[in-house]
Amino acid sequence: MHARQVIPVCVDSRRRGLRYQKIELWDLQFVAYIATKTVVILSEELEVVQVLAGFEHLVSDIAWDNDGKIAVAVESSVHIFEPHFGAASNEDLSYWTEGLVIAHDTPVSSVSFTPNGKYLVSGGSFLTKWELYPARELDKVRRRYTEAPPPKILHQIPLASSHSGDQIAVSPDGRFVATCGLNSRFVKVWLFRSESKFLYLSHPRAVQFVSWRTQASDAGLMRNVLLTKAKDGEA
C-alpha cells in the first residue's frame, strides 16, 4: 500500500477524531475529522468540501450513516446534518445542512447510527436509543400528513459513570451495542431490548478501538463479529 497524498491537518488527538464514509448512492467517498469546535469534511482527493462550524463547545464525537448523514456530538446535544448531492452529476457535491438537534440532559461523549439510519445511539451518563424520524400521522381533515414529530427515546440505560460510554458501536443487525469507557479494560455488550442483559469482555490492557463486522457462518447465515484493539497491540 502506498500513500497517494499527504496533507497537514489538525485532527483531534482522541481516537474518535477521524471518520471515513463511502456514500453508496453516488459511489462517493468522504473523510471527516474533528478539529476542536469544528468538523472538516474532505473528498476522496483530500480536498476540503465543507467545514461544519458555529458550535460553542468542543466536538466530542462524530458518526456517519449509510446515507451520508453526519451526527455531531457537542456538549449536551447531538446535531444531525443531512447531505445534498448534485442532481446532474456526482462531481457537484454537495453540502450538508443541519436538519435536527437532539437535546440531552447530560453531556454526550459518543454517538453511533444504527445500520438503517432510523435510530441514533448516544453515550455518556446514559446509553440512549433515539428514534429519529417517527412515522407521521395522516390529518384526515386537511388531507395531508402532519409535520414529523421530534425524536423520541426508545430505550435509556444508566451507565456506571459519565465515561462508561466514551466508545459505542452498534452491531450490523441493530440488536446489540458495545460500550467502553476511557482507559477501560472492559467492553460491555448490551442487548437493546433489555436494560439488564449484558456481558463483559475483559482485556489485558485498556481498549482503544471497538467495531462490529458481519461474517458469514458455515450455514450461510450472517452473524455479528465484534472487533476490539487494546494497548497490548492484540486485536
Side-chain angles (χ1 to χ4, degrees), residues 35-65:
T36 60
K37 297 182 180 180
T38 65
V39 175
V40 181
I41 302 173
L42 305 176
S43 67
E44 183 180 8
E45 293 75 26
L46 300 183
E47 297 177 350
V48 176
V49 174
Q50 186 176 351
V51 177
L52 307 180
F55 306 116
E56 296 182 358
H57 303 278
L58 296 176
V59 176
S60 57
D61 195 17
I62 54 178
W64 294 90
D65 81 342

Side-chain angles (χ1 to χ4, degrees), residues 94-216:
S94 307
Y95 55 92
W96 280 258
T97 58
E98 185 177 281
L100 184 65
V101 179
I102 305 176
H104 291 62
D105 294 330
T106 57
V108 180
S109 57
S110 55
V111 287
S112 180
F113 285 101
T114 57
N116 60 14
K118 293 182 179 180
Y119 308 100
L120 180 82
V121 181
S122 58
S125 297
F126 295 88
L127 184 65
T128 308
K129 181 180 180 181
W130 300 83
E131 185 178 17
L132 293 182
Y133 304 108
R136 295 183 297 171
E137 297 180 358
L138 179 63
D139 187 332
K140 296 182 179 180
V141 176
R142 298 183 179 182
R143 296 184 179 181
R144 66 182 183 183
Y145 284 97
T146 58
E147 294 295 327
K152 66 178 181 179
I153 295 176
L154 297 181
H155 303 285
Q156 189 169 64
I157 303 171
L159 299 178
S161 72
S162 60
H163 294 292
S164 297
D166 279 343
Q167 291 190 78
I168 59 174
V170 182
S171 65
D173 62 4
R175 295 177 57 200
F176 304 97
V177 58
T179 64
C180 184
L182 185 65
N183 296 321
S184 174
R185 297 188 299 108
F186 298 96
V187 175
K188 206 170 187 178
V189 180
W190 300 84
L191 179 63
F192 255 146
R193 295 184 176 88
S194 172
E195 294 188 3
S196 58
K197 291 185 178 180
F198 64 87
L199 59 87
Y200 275 117
L201 300 177
S202 178
H203 294 69
R205 298 191 63 185
V207 177
Q208 297 175 303
F209 179 77
V210 177
S211 179
W212 290 93
R213 296 289 188 273
T214 55
Q215 185 180 59

